Amino acid sequence: MNLNKYKSKRNFDITNEPEGSIKKDNLHRFVVQEHHARNLHYDFRLEMEGVLKSWAVPKNLPEKPGIKRLAVMVEDHPVEYIDFSGDIPEGEYGAGTVYIYDKGYWHLRTGDLLKGSLKFYLDGKIFQGDYALVKLKDGKNWLIYKI
Ligand code: MN
């Protein structure tokens, strides 16, 4: 994990997004941020390995089993990003408005990201229950679904 890609995409003199740093502790939080960028999408982030592992989910996470949604893995974000909401200025990467859609805690069930399969429990206000993230063959796209 590292934040080089995150930092290289942003000018912290202009954007209000946190510059952040890699953390030693892990509070096992998650967030879903509603991001009104060029295309509306939802950013799903899991606190792990000192950063927020992140996916852009165009149609948001499902609230019920039986629905699989595309989740595109994006660059690691700093843990501080978990509290970010507000406007990203025009001309900046991801320009638009970010709202916190849901947040809470997560618990690992089985698997790991390197193996391309992670099962976990989400304990949020909207998203509650067991979920799976499974990597597709192309290596960047994942599916997320409720079990
Ligand atoms: Mn986004």
Side-chain angles (χ1 to χ4, degrees):
M1 94 307 275
N2 73 69
L3 297 174
N4 296 344
K5 197 170 176 190
Y6 173 84
K7 292 187 181 191
S8 71
K9 288 182 171 186
R10 292 167 174 83
N11 182 341
F12 296 101
D13 293 332
I14 298 175
T15 184
N16 289 321
E17 294 164 287
E19 189 161 1
S21 58
I22 293 169
K23 298 293 181 284
K24 289 203 175 83
D25 51 351
N26 184 352
L27 302 180
H28 286 272
R29 293 170 293 175
F30 83 92
V31 69
V32 176
Q33 284 154 322
E34 181 179 335
H35 187 180
H36 294 255
R38 200 163 14 172
N39 296 303
L40 170 65
H41 60 274
Y42 296 80
D43 290 302
F44 176 54
R45 310 188 196 281
L46 292 174
E47 184 177 9
M48 60 194 297
E49 297 172 7
V51 296
L52 299 176
K53 304 305 284 190
S54 297
W55 293 261
V57 186
K59 294 186 173 175
N60 206 351
L61 282 66
E63 291 182 42
K64 295 176 186 166
I67 303 161
K68 291 186 176 178
R69 295 270 166 80
L70 176 68
V72 181
M73 197 174 214
V74 299
E75 73 273 18
D76 294 346
H77 280 49
V79 169
E80 290 89 339
Y81 210 93
I82 209 157
D83 296 316
F84 177 75
S85 63
D87 292 321
I88 300 170
E90 197 75 29
E92 281 298 287
Y93 181 73
T97 307
V98 175
Y99 302 96
I100 294 181
Y101 184 87
D102 197 21
K103 66 195 287 190
Y105 294 88
W106 71 280
H107 316 282
L108 180 66
R109 296 292 199 206
T110 59
D112 76 59
L113 290 182
L114 285 177
K115 290 183 181 143
S117 174
L118 194 74
K119 290 182 178 167
F120 51 96
Y121 183 84
L122 291 183
D123 185 9
K125 287 202 167 74
I126 295 168
F127 301 113
Q128 289 234 341
D130 281 297
Y131 281 80
L133 264 169
V134 178
K135 185 158 74 171
L136 300 175
K137 282 185 185 141
D138 65 20
K140 189 180 174 195
N141 291 325
W142 298 61
L143 293 176
I144 189 164
Y145 55 93
K146 193 172 190 187
I147 298 167

